[in-house]
Amino acid sequence: MSQPVLECRDLRKTFGDLVAVNGVGFTIAPGETYGLLGPNGAGKTTSISMIAGLLERDAGDVSVEGKPLTTTSVEAKSAIGYVPQDLAIYPDLSGRENLRFFARLYGMHGDDLTRRVDEVLEIVGLADRAGDLAKEYSGGMKRRLNIGIGLLHRPRLLILDEPTVGVDPQSRNSILESVDHLSAEGMAVLYTTHYMEEAERLCDRVGIIDLGELRAEGTRRELVGLVGQRDQVVLALAGNIEAAARACSGIPAVHDASPKEDHLELVVDEARKALPRILETVADAGASVRAVEVTEPNLEAVFLHLTGKALRD
Amino acid sequence: MRAALLIAGKDLRQRLRDRSAVMVAFLVPLGLAFIFDLTLGGLPTGGTRLTFVVVDADGTEVSRIFVEEVLPQVEEGGAIELRTARSEEAARQLIQDAKADAAFVVPAGFGDAVQGTGGGEIRVIGDVDEPTAAQVAGSIARSFAADLDAVRLSVATVVGADPAAADPEEVAALSGRAAGVANPVAVVDAAATTKVLDITTYYAAGMAVFFLFFTVQFGVASLLEERKEGTLSRLLAAPIGRSSILGGKLLTSFVLGVLSMTTLIVATSLLLGARWGSPLGVGLLVVGGVFAAMGVMALVATLAKTAEQAGNWQAIIAVVLGMLGGVFFPISQVSGALSRLSLLTPQAWFMRGLSDLSGGGDWAVVLPAVLAMLTFGAVTGSVAMLRLERMTRL
């Protein structure tokens, strides 16, 4: 495995008597998207504020590409692109002026700066409105500009703090596609969210955080495995449903087969792998499949299992 | 330094696009100076010469001292212009025709009365529309009368209680010698520090330095705005030092302050005819004033929790210091206590320095005022810097 872009260990931060973050640590490899999933107030923003070098930490270590990072580190910060949760743009400057200002802060200049600003405007879909003042943008456009600023200097680690909060579905989809694209290009991404769907769609690995502590981390399947839940397959059938149920019970991956009036419910290990054999077995039993629905256990269930509460409580 | 310049450049661009900043820094002070000049510009000031007419109906040695020695000395001081008339009626006519502001009439027998048993008087005729001129004339006459009394006392001491018994020639000789010893009227060249600006320059300078305190607040208070807008976190995440952020904000204040003052100085000179004095001296005063304003306003901003709160507090401080510092009326001439209190404000030192320059002094006369303003800036700015560093932490 290549050297991690981000390594953080035993992060701790208190505000008075409140322990906001306690012992959080994880790594992110190049091209990997790591999701920090937790409800509001779980400690996500405090964690990434320490990782981005905005907030002094009480304890713990952070390094980016092997370089230690503190609030005063210049070199390590150069490798990070930071997109805060709240909009962080200058409304009285145009989209292009916002980008040029931050590009210069990151040491870019000349043709490279101009070219990169144009590229980012294209990436975030603001090229045709680049000269307009940011205050004249829609909410979604402001969000996209907010993200674009974080991409300007081609960071090796992109930190996105709940970038889709308050965003319309179209812009949200655009943002998620952009993150997918950046990750595919080799950028390491740290993505915080309290939307389970986003974590499932985007993240290679997910850390579940609650009350300032990392409760579990791993791939989606690894986390689901912690809960011990299996996939559910519902087959809408015509023909002999009872016979189909009996036949499916003989498949090793199928743990339960319940015939209903017009459909068959199955509890299955790794449904997507087992589905071809199930369909074949049903057909052999004399039933025809009219529809298939596969439901995999999700991170919501994992979160409930680990913390005893729903993700949006 | 590069990052500080970038931040200052960005801030200045934002501020100049913000019409309220342009209003506060340039248009409102210029407009108010123009209004003050229009409404008050016709009033007499310390710089206006009063015209006095003098009538010597006595013609003795004593009246000659008043008419040919005392009054010409006052005239040389630049405060008055003298004319003569042959009679009291002629003097009254000159006043009535607005060709003179007041008149001295030395009546026949004045000299004999002074050298004899006393009772001589100089009549002062004033214009009801020019009470100040009458007061000045009365003051000169009383001063001369007081000196004559001193001479009389000197003579009486030498010749005894009954001057009538003394040899007239001896008395005349003694009187002449006593008059020569006593300075009949103290005509003192006003010190530079008490020179008064003409109305136009006074209000141009007053409004410029008053609004300077509003103008410089845009730089430091923008740190609170950056926090509110969320852009402070982005600046902190960038590979730049916190000192660059602070430096950028202070540089913004300084440039805005100097730009505002320079524009107002040039504009009021060209449009209103304000006389600011030596460019070097004015430049030093501007730098000192901006430095002091930055220190005071930065300190106030660091005490606030939000940009709105900072704006309110800074406005209150700017108005109080401006009033006390005499930007609306010459507070240094009101009373001793208030005048001394006004020296606790940078505005008062700025106006004082400018008054010193208007007296015709070279640039060096402003150094005490500049030093005072730099001290204000250093003291308040040092405390502010300690607190500003905390403002760049999340």
Side-chain angles (χ1 to χ4, degrees):
Chain A
M1 186 180 173
S2 57
Q3 185 195 23
V5 177
L6 172 70
E7 287 182 276
C8 57
R9 193 180 59 196
D10 294 331
L11 297 180
R12 180 180 168 83
K13 182 69 185 177
T14 57
F15 297 103
D17 294 334
L18 175 70
V19 181
V21 172
N22 188 19
V24 168
F26 51 86
T27 62
I28 306 178
E32 184 181 29
T33 299
Y34 186 96
L36 209 49
L37 179 68
N40 292 329
K44 301 188 297 293
T45 298
T46 303
S47 295
I48 65 167
S49 293
M50 289 189 282
I51 291 167
L54 308 178
L55 193 62
E56 303 273 1
R57 52 185 182 262
D58 296 339
D61 298 305
V62 177
S63 66
V64 179
E65 294 189 312
K67 300 178 189 82
L69 183 138
T70 66
T71 54
T72 57
S73 304
V74 171
E75 196 176 355
K77 283 184 177 179
S78 299
I80 298 175
Y82 172 64
V83 180
Q85 180 176 349
D86 296 321
L87 287 174
I89 57 177
Y90 295 106
D92 291 324
L93 300 184
S94 69
R96 185 183 296 282
E97 286 169 341
N98 268 284
L99 292 172
R100 289 184 68 86
F101 169 67
F102 283 107
R104 286 197 179 105
L105 271 192
Y106 279 84
M108 301 177 75
H109 51 80
D111 291 343
D112 182 41
L113 181 149
T114 305
R115 199 165 39 245
R116 183 58 182 163
V117 166
D118 287 341
E119 282 174 11
V120 169
L121 284 168
E122 287 292 340
I123 290 170
V124 297
L126 291 173
D128 57 336
R129 298 286 304 274
D132 294 353
L133 296 183
K135 65 184 174 190
E136 294 166 359
Y137 286 177
S138 69
M141 292 167 75
K142 287 176 183 170
R143 279 276 165 201
R144 282 185 272 146
L145 177 60
N146 197 39
I147 292 173
I149 292 168
L151 303 176
L152 274 168
H153 59 292
R154 303 179 184 90
R156 269 80 73 198
L157 171 65
L158 179 63
I159 299 176
L160 296 149
D161 189 7
E162 308 222 27
T164 58
V165 170
V167 172
D168 62 272
Q170 191 180 354
S171 293
R172 182 180 183 183
N173 207 40
S174 166
I175 289 168
L176 297 181
E177 280 177 7
S178 297
V179 175
D180 254 343
H181 181 68
L182 293 166
S183 177
E185 286 185 337
M187 190 180 287
V189 178
L190 171 56
Y191 191 100
T192 76
T193 182
H194 64 272
Y195 295 129
M196 180 269 298
E197 304 84 2
E198 287 183 5
E200 291 195 324
R201 173 177 163 179
L202 284 178
C203 301
D204 301 305
R205 286 189 302 136
V206 173
I208 291 181
I209 187 170
D210 186 45
L211 300 174
E213 295 186 358
L214 201 60
R215 311 300 286 265
E217 70 163 348
T219 62
R220 178 186 162 283
R221 184 150 292 283
E222 286 169 346
L223 290 171
V224 167
L226 292 174
V227 185
Q229 286 193 11
R230 298 187 171 102
D231 300 345
Q232 187 180 50
V233 177
V234 178
L235 300 173
L237 297 176
N240 193 340
I241 297 176
E242 291 287 343
R246 281 195 299 277
C248 286
S249 297
I251 301 172
V254 175
H255 291 268
D256 184 47
S258 305
K260 305 292 179 188
E261 187 179 342
D262 59 352
H263 66 274
L264 174 62
E265 290 181 3
L266 304 171
V267 176
V268 183
D269 282 334
E270 297 195 52
R272 290 177 195 279
K273 281 186 185 171
L275 197 56
R277 187 169 174 194
I278 291 170
L279 294 175
E280 190 181 336
T281 303
V282 167
D284 290 347
S288 59
V289 178
R290 289 184 300 189
V292 179
E293 184 183 328
V294 176
T295 308
E296 297 173 334
N298 59 27
L299 294 174
E300 181 80 45
V302 177
F303 191 85
L304 185 63
H305 173 77
L306 290 172
T307 67
K309 61 190 178 190
L311 194 52
R312 286 166 197 168
D313 279 354
Chain B
M1 186 61 187
R2 182 176 174 277
L5 287 172
L6 281 172
I7 291 169
K10 183 268 299 175
D11 281 356
L12 286 171
R13 186 186 295 232
Q14 283 182 285
R15 292 305 161 199
L16 293 178
R17 276 187 190 162
D18 179 1
R19 287 177 188 164
S20 63
V22 174
M23 293 286 283
V24 167
F26 306 107
L27 299 182
V28 175
L30 184 59
L32 282 178
F34 182 68
I35 290 168
F36 278 125
D37 183 56
L38 272 182
T39 54
L40 303 174
L43 296 181
T45 69
T48 303
R49 282 161 67 90
L50 299 169
T51 301
F52 290 161
V53 58
V54 58
V55 179
D56 184 4
D58 183 42
T60 63
E61 179 67 16
V62 178
S63 67
R64 192 193 61 75
I65 290 172
F66 181 65
V67 173
E68 296 179 13
E69 293 182 18
V70 174
L71 290 180
Q73 281 188 57
V74 180
E75 186 178 30
E76 282 173 20
I80 67 169
E81 182 180 346
L82 283 177
R83 297 184 61 168
T84 55
R86 277 184 286 182
S87 66
E88 184 173 332
E89 289 69 26
R92 286 184 186 279
Q93 190 61 48
L94 284 171
I95 293 171
Q96 195 174 337
D97 295 343
K99 291 177 180 171
D101 298 307
F104 300 102
V105 177
V106 187
F110 173 75
D112 292 340
V114 168
Q115 291 184 317
T117 55
E121 63 178 22
I122 296 175
R123 287 203 289 277
V124 172
I125 302 167
D127 181 348
V128 70
D129 294 328
E130 292 287 356
T132 306
Q135 285 173 5
V136 172
S139 174
I140 293 171
R142 279 193 296 276
S143 177
F144 180 67
D147 284 340
L148 284 180
D149 273 347
V151 172
R152 275 163 48 83
L153 185 62
S154 302
V155 172
T157 303
V158 172
V159 302
D162 184 9
D167 177 2
E169 289 184 7
E170 186 183 2
V171 170
L174 278 171
S175 299
R177 278 160 53 196
V181 171
N183 185 0
V185 173
V187 182
V188 180
D189 183 22
T193 52
T194 61
K195 292 262 168 55
V196 178
L197 294 167
D198 64 85
I199 288 285
T200 301
T201 309
Y202 177 82
Y203 281 108
M207 291 305 98
V209 74
F210 177 67
F211 281 96
L212 170 65
F213 279 68
F214 289 90
T215 302
V216 299
Q217 77 179 25
F218 286 117
V220 177
S222 72
L223 202 53
L224 292 164
E225 280 176 30
E226 298 261 17
R227 180 184 290 274
K228 179 186 167 192
E229 298 290 336
T231 44
L232 179 61
S233 66
R234 195 147 235 164
L235 294 178
L236 292 174
I240 59 172
R242 286 180 176 166
S243 57
S244 296
I245 301 173
L246 283 182
K249 298 301 174 189
L250 294 174
L251 194 57
T252 303
S253 284
F254 185 79
V255 172
L256 271 178
V258 170
L259 200 61
S260 164
M261 290 295 285
T262 306
T263 305
L264 291 170
I265 289 166
V266 172
T268 55
S269 299
L270 295 177
L271 301 177
L272 306 179
R275 295 191 296 269
W276 288 80
S278 150
L280 179 57
V282 173
L284 289 171
L285 283 172
V286 167
V287 170
V290 170
F291 192 68
M294 283 171 60
V296 173
M297 291 294 108
L299 179 58
V300 176
T302 62
L303 298 173
K305 289 182 177 156
T306 64
E308 289 77 16
Q309 196 177 49
N312 291 337
W313 289 359
Q314 285 173 325
I316 292 169
I317 295 295
V319 169
V320 170
L321 290 181
M323 297 283 282
L324 195 58
V327 300
F328 294 107
F329 53 91
I331 206 161
S332 60
Q333 296 172 9
V334 173
S335 78
L338 205 53
S339 174
R340 281 192 295 277
L341 195 60
S342 76
L343 294 180
L344 294 175
T345 71
Q347 289 92 333
W349 284 102
F350 182 87
M351 300 301 285
R352 194 182 178 96
L354 205 61
S355 298
D356 292 351
L357 268 187
S358 79
D362 67 1
W363 64 270
V365 300
V366 305
L367 289 180
V370 172
L371 188 64
M373 289 189 287
L374 291 178
T375 304
F376 269 103
V379 171
T380 53
S382 299
V383 180
M385 286 305 289
L386 291 175
R387 299 181 61 85
L388 273 173
E389 206 277 331
R390 290 184 208 166
M391 287 171 71
T392 59
R393 294 174 190 268
L394 289 185

